[in-house]
């Protein structure tokens, strides 16, 4: 029994070590981020497309295995690749006097990374609307399934920060988990009036607050990277902030009650209320209001990046690892609370 | 069971009546809330000088409303600190008492909405560029409903905070302010939309949310209050 007691703790540390190493060392799949120039007039142009993530492999001199194709409306425009560097592709293109649509998407067919897409890569200025001349049309090459090994998927605007998924999301999960323990303990306290449940609830809220604050901090970092601001007014973010303030209120309430013998019961009442509000604020309200935050808009899960197998192989261990670490911290705090209670009531 | 519920409702009505009568008899407390509200409106008027954009207008309205609400509800359980508590504890069903206090909060909210909104429009006029509110009924209804979701939450918070022997008022503010954030965000958006004349179809959901929040917090308060009361 005691060996299991230390085993799961070491297990959580090992999982988190795996998550940190894997999370930071796994390469990101390549993706197109930017094109220059972004506006084109009819005529011949040299284009450059910038990429991030895993570098492109050296092109094979024998075969033309890279190809860049622009899409205007439903028609495809031919380009001639002139140079490929690890993180960019240069190509020549001829823009005709008339194009089907002024907004052009870019498709880069690569031998290893499959097809990379950049929507609205170029805008054609001063051109009429009309069909493409036949000599500029391109045929789509046969697509190659990507063969990149273990790598994280490329997502526009998120890019490298996708690794934060392994920190931010499991931290909130852990917070929910331990606050749930606190909720159950507070219900038991109200039912039985026993002090042991109060000690549990206090330990749970204290630990949950740490993870809530960590969740806010990692979320703020992510918001800065993807939305451009440390904090934005969004139902999900408001809910998260209110939740953390609410549970800080729990600690203030306990401190204000001090030595009062009713502290367990009153704190339990407040904690039950706080948990109900947590569910409403973080799980109900954001679903019904417009939110920038992923996984909302009436959808309880994540977006497509959740479906990626390599990300899953690190994300699930992260959820278990952070959850177990959180539970471990909770048991430590509980032991301290028990000792404190014992010393005070001796 | 039915008779039990009926007697609870009778208790609630009796508590509301008692609260309201005591408010009238001890007129200074009612006057204090009204004075606070009107003075805050006047400060807003002096600092805004009749040139207010819609956003600032609603922000000031809800700030005044928020703090008036705190003063009005924050002392709701003051009487229950003393001998009165022991008397009520023996004679009154806690659910009835809570319902009575909530009933009193609804009355207070109605009076406060009329007072704050009325004086606010009287002194500050309409926001810059507006002749009147786009949807006057929605403005009134939104203010009332927003105020209601605010006061019902405050009733519970005050009940918890009043258990603390000293400094309960400050504790009420500490516990209450974060809890009121979602309600205030919804309420400011609703009143702003009502001022601007945003199509009603776009406002439609917000009153529902506010009503749901008021009902939800009231129900939780009713379930949990007996535990505090008997502590």
């Amino acid at each position: 029994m005691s060996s299991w007691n230390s085993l799961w703790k070491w297990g959580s540390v090992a999982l988190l070590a795996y998550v940190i190493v894997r999370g930071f060392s796994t390469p990101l799949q390549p993706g197109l981020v930017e094109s220059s120039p972004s506006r084109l007039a009819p005529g011949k142009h040299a284009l450059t497309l910038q990429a991030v993530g895993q570098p492109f492999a050296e092109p094979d001199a024998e075969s033309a295995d890279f190809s860049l194709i622009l899409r205007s409306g439903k028609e495809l425009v031919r380009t001639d690749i002139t140079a490929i560097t690890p993180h960019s592709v240069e190509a020549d293109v001829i823009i005709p006097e008339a194009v089907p649509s002024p907004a052009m998407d870019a498709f880069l067919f690569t031998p290893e990374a499959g097809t990379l897409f950049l929507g609205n890569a170029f805008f054609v200025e001063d051109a009429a609307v009309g069909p493409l001349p036949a000599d500029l049309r391109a045929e789509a090459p046969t697509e190659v399934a990507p063969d990149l090994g273990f790598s994280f998927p490329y997502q526009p605007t998120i890019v490298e920060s996708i690794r934060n998924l392994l920190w931010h999301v499991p931290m909130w999960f852990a917070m929910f988990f331990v606050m749930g323990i606190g909720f159950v303990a507070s219900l038991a306290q109200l039912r039985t009036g026993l002090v042991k449940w109060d000690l549990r609830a206090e330990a749970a809220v204290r630990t949950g607050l740490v993870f809530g604050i960590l969740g806010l901090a990692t979320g703020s970092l992510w918001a800065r990277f993807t939305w451009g601001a440390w904090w934005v007014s969004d139902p999900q973010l408001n809910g998260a902030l209110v939740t953390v303030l609410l549970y800080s209120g729990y600690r203030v309430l306990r401190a204000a009650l001090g030595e009062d013998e009713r502290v367990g019961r009153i704190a339990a009442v407040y904690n039950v209320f706080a948990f109900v509000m947590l569910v409403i604020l973080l799980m109900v309200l954001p679903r019904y209001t417009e939110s920038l935050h992923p996984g909302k808009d009436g959808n309880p899960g994540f977006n497509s990046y959740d479906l990626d197998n390599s990300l899953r192989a690190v994300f699930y261990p992260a959820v278990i690892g952070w959850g177990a670490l959180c539970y471990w911290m909770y048991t430590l705090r509980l032991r301290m609370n028990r000792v404190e209670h014992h010393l005070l009531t001796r | 069971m039915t008779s039990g519920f009926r007697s609870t409702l009778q208790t609630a009505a009796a508590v509301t009546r008692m609260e309201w009568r005591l408010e009238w008899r001890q007129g200074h407390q009612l006057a204090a809330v009204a004075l606070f509200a009107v003075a805050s409106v006047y400060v807003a008027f002096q600092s805004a000088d009749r040139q207010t954009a819609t956003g600032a207008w609603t922000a000031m309205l809800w700030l005044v409303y928020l703090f008036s609400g705190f003063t009005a509800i924050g002392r709701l359980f003051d009487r229950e600190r003393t001998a009165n508590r022991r008397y009520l504890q023996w004679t009154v069903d806690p659910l009835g008492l809570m319902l009575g206090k909530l009933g009193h909060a609804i009355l207070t909210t109605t009076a406060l909405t009329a007072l704050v909104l009325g004086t606010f429009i009287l002194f500050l006029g309409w926001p810059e560029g507006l002749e009147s509110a786009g949807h006057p009924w929605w403005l009134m209804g939104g203010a009332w409903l927003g105020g209601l979701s605010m006061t019902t939450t405050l009733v519970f918070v005050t009940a918890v905070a009043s258990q603390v022997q000293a400094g309960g008022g400050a504790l009420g503010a500490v516990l209450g302010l974060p809890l009121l954030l979602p309600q205030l965000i919804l309420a400011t958006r609703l009143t702003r939309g009502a001022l601007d004349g945003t199509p009603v179809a776009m406002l439609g959901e917000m009153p529902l949310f506010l009503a749901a929040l008021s009902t939800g917090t009231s129900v939780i308060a009713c379930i949990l209050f007996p535990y505090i009361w008997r502590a």
Side-chain angles (χ1 to χ4, degrees):
Chain A
M1 210 53 213
S2 69
S3 67
W4 165 244
N5 256 339
S6 59
L7 203 65
W8 69 266
K9 290 167 190 164
W10 286 113
S12 79
V13 172
L15 274 180
L16 286 177
Y18 163 80
V19 166
I20 289 166
V21 171
R22 256 291 144 94
F24 284 116
S25 67
T26 303
L28 188 76
Q29 288 166 15
L32 299 175
V33 283
E34 207 185 7
S35 56
S36 60
S38 57
R39 290 174 176 277
L40 304 172
K44 194 178 180 198
H45 296 277
L47 308 176
T48 309
L49 281 147
Q50 293 291 337
V52 292
Q54 234 171 324
F56 296 135
E58 282 295 308
D60 195 338
E62 298 296 305
S63 62
D65 35 18
F66 277 87
S67 57
L68 177 68
I69 286 172
L70 303 182
R71 183 175 67 183
S72 168
K74 281 180 179 160
E75 294 188 57
L76 301 179
V77 185
R78 191 163 58 81
T79 68
D80 295 317
I81 292 182
T82 52
I84 291 169
T85 71
H87 282 113
S88 73
V89 173
E90 285 165 34
D92 287 336
V93 66
I94 296 168
I95 302 290
E97 292 296 327
V99 287
S101 159
M104 285 193 165
D105 305 324
F107 291 88
L108 181 66
F109 295 84
T110 67
E112 282 186 350
T115 309
L116 311 184
F117 172 70
L118 184 63
N120 293 337
F122 305 99
F123 287 91
V124 179
E125 293 175 323
D126 308 323
V129 175
L132 277 182
D135 60 320
L136 294 179
R137 286 210 187 119
E139 291 292 315
T142 43
E143 282 201 49
V144 190
D147 176 26
L148 289 164
F150 195 86
S151 55
F152 290 152
Y154 167 82
Q155 289 282 324
T157 69
I158 293 175
V159 197
E160 292 278 2
S161 76
I162 200 164
R163 298 168 206 283
N164 200 2
L165 186 77
L166 309 169
W167 300 73
H168 177 67
V169 181
M171 278 165 178
W172 281 113
F173 282 179
M175 187 262 199
F176 264 86
F177 168 60
V178 81
M179 289 308 187
I181 294 177
F183 174 65
V184 173
S186 283
L187 285 181
Q189 204 286 335
L190 289 183
R191 235 188 147 68
T192 62
L194 295 177
V195 79
K196 67 171 184 177
W197 294 113
D198 184 45
L199 299 180
R200 281 178 184 274
E202 203 276 343
V205 171
R206 205 185 265 247
T207 317
L209 254 181
V210 172
F211 278 80
I213 289 164
L214 285 174
L216 280 187
T218 49
S220 179
L221 206 64
W222 218 349
R224 179 72 185 87
F225 191 83
T226 52
W227 302 332
W230 294 107
W231 195 266
V232 297
S233 178
D234 182 87
Q236 184 76 11
L237 276 71
N238 290 333
L241 182 69
V242 171
T243 305
V244 168
L245 289 176
L246 204 57
Y247 279 107
S248 312
Y250 175 87
R251 308 226 34 222
V252 174
L253 178 66
R254 286 194 81 99
L257 283 162
E259 303 281 290
D260 198 315
E261 72 269 14
R262 298 166 307 157
V263 60
R265 179 173 280 243
I266 292 163
V269 164
Y270 183 83
N271 194 28
V272 169
F273 184 73
F275 190 76
V276 174
M277 289 306 285
L278 163 105
V279 173
I280 293 175
L281 289 172
L282 286 181
M283 303 181 78
V284 181
L285 272 187
R287 296 268 159 83
Y288 293 99
T289 39
E290 287 162 31
S291 177
L292 284 172
H293 196 276
K296 299 302 155 190
D297 302 324
N299 174 11
F302 303 130
N303 296 333
S304 56
Y305 53 78
D306 183 45
L307 299 172
D308 184 88
N309 279 331
S310 54
L311 201 51
R312 272 186 183 171
V314 197
F315 178 67
Y316 292 154
V319 171
I320 299 168
W322 285 117
L325 185 79
C326 182
Y327 187 72
W328 186 8
M329 285 168 71
Y330 155 72
T331 55
L332 287 178
R333 185 65 228 179
L334 179 59
R335 276 154 81 181
M336 279 173 76
N337 281 357
R338 281 177 181 155
V339 169
E340 250 169 49
H341 178 71
H342 179 74
L343 290 177
L344 284 173
T345 53
R346 195 169 43 161
Chain B
M1 202 59 210
T2 324
S3 69
F5 185 63
R6 192 185 238 167
S7 81
T8 302
L9 285 186
Q10 280 168 351
T11 310
V15 170
T16 307
R17 265 203 307 278
M18 175 198 79
E19 286 285 336
W20 202 239
R21 244 180 236 159
L22 283 173
E23 292 279 17
W24 276 117
R25 278 181 205 160
Q26 307 168 336
H28 64 280
Q29 286 195 327
L30 212 57
V33 175
L35 186 67
F36 185 91
V38 175
S40 313
V41 171
Y42 200 73
V43 170
F45 160 63
Q46 282 299 326
S47 52
D49 199 24
R50 276 190 177 268
Q51 296 288 317
T52 334
T54 321
W57 200 90
T58 40
M60 283 195 290
L61 174 71
W62 281 100
L63 276 176
V64 170
Y65 204 164
L66 172 68
F67 288 106
S68 310
F70 261 109
T71 7
I73 305 294
R75 51 189 186 79
L76 195 57
F77 287 87
D78 277 3
R79 271 192 287 278
E80 277 68 43
R81 284 164 188 262
T82 50
N84 191 20
R85 179 192 178 113
R86 238 155 289 142
Y87 174 70
L88 286 174
Q89 231 163 2
W90 286 110
T91 52
V92 168
D93 161 30
L95 180 61
L97 183 68
M98 190 64 194
L99 285 173
K101 296 275 183 185
L102 284 171
H104 178 65
I106 294 173
L107 288 179
T108 313
T109 309
T110 313
L112 205 59
T113 310
L115 180 69
V116 171
L117 204 57
T119 46
F120 203 82
I121 294 168
L122 183 76
F123 283 114
L124 276 97
W126 298 104
E128 214 178 348
L130 285 180
E131 294 294 314
S132 71
H135 309 294
W137 290 105
W138 281 78
L139 178 65
M140 271 190 263
W144 184 76
L145 211 53
L148 196 63
S149 65
M150 191 168 81
T151 44
T152 45
T153 312
L154 276 180
V155 169
F156 176 74
V157 170
T158 310
V160 172
S162 68
Q163 301 302 310
V164 178
Q165 295 308 322
L171 187 66
V174 170
L175 301 181
L177 272 174
L179 267 176
L180 294 179
L181 252 170
Q183 284 93 319
L184 282 174
I185 290 168
L186 275 171
T188 40
R189 279 199 198 144
L190 180 58
T191 37
R192 203 176 161 172
L195 276 174
D196 283 342
T198 309
V200 168
M202 289 174 74
L203 299 175
E205 275 191 342
M206 286 188 266
L208 285 180
F209 279 131
L210 283 175
L213 271 174
S214 328
T215 321
T217 45
S218 306
V219 169
I220 306 170
C222 287
I223 294 170
L224 292 176
F225 182 66
Y227 291 102
I228 309 176
W229 189 237
R230 296 205 185 102

